[in-house]
């Protein structure tokens, strides 16, 4: 049902939404690397800071710069999509009082 939206939105908006999603993912991956290696694991030697703080930090700055090329409509639709996802997650977890369900795949499903 949701994929039928593709019939009515413009190609420009669709490509902007893909860019929005990719930039969110890249930003979060870079921030997660800093949190995991520098904050959680305490890797703070100069080499580790370069690899796990400076390089991902540059990645975050570059993605922030790329965010400036997106249209206002992209932000409205993208943030509305994120809000819908958070509302769905709140419903699944009964207002975040329960753990979200886990995805369990069998070996056959992973091989396919």
């Amino acid at each position: 049902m949701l994929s039928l939206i593709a019939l009515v939105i413009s190609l420009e908006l669709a490509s902007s939404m893909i860019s929005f999603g990719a930039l969110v993912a890249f930003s979060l991956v870079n921030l997660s690397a800093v949190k995991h290696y520098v904050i959680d694991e305490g890797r703070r030697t100069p080499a580790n800071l370069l690899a796990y703080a400076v390089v991902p930090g540059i990645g975050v700055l570059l993605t922030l710069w790329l965010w400036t090329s997106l249209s206002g409509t992209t932000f409205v639709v993208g943030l509305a999509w994120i809000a819908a996802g958070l509302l769905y997650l709140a419903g699944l977890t009964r207002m975040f009082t329960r753990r979200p369900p886990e995805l369990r795949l069998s070996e056959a499903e992973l091989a396919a």
Side-chain angles (χ1 to χ4, degrees):
M1 186 75 168
L2 214 50
S3 61
L4 292 176
I5 294 172
L7 295 173
V8 295
I9 64 171
S10 69
L11 185 57
E12 181 182 347
L13 180 59
S15 64
S16 292
M17 293 309 304
I18 292 169
S19 296
F20 180 88
L23 290 175
V24 167
F26 294 147
S27 298
L28 292 177
V29 164
N30 283 309
L31 292 172
S32 295
V34 174
K35 184 198 178 297
H36 177 74
Y37 291 109
V38 178
I39 296 171
D40 293 345
E41 291 191 356
R43 296 186 186 190
R44 295 190 177 99
T45 65
N48 283 337
L49 286 175
L50 177 65
Y52 302 124
V54 174
V55 173
I58 291 170
V60 170
L61 292 174
L62 289 173
T63 55
L64 288 174
W65 173 67
L66 289 171
W67 283 91
T68 63
S69 66
L70 298 178
S71 70
T73 305
T74 302
F75 282 104
V76 170
V77 175
L79 292 174
W81 191 255
I82 289 172
L86 286 173
L87 287 172
Y88 179 69
L89 182 61
L92 278 178
T93 60
R94 298 196 180 163
M95 294 308 293
F96 306 104
T97 60
R98 296 189 176 176
R99 294 184 57 80
E102 291 185 22
L103 177 64
R104 296 183 188 267
L105 298 175
S106 67
E107 290 294 323
E109 292 170 319
L110 291 173

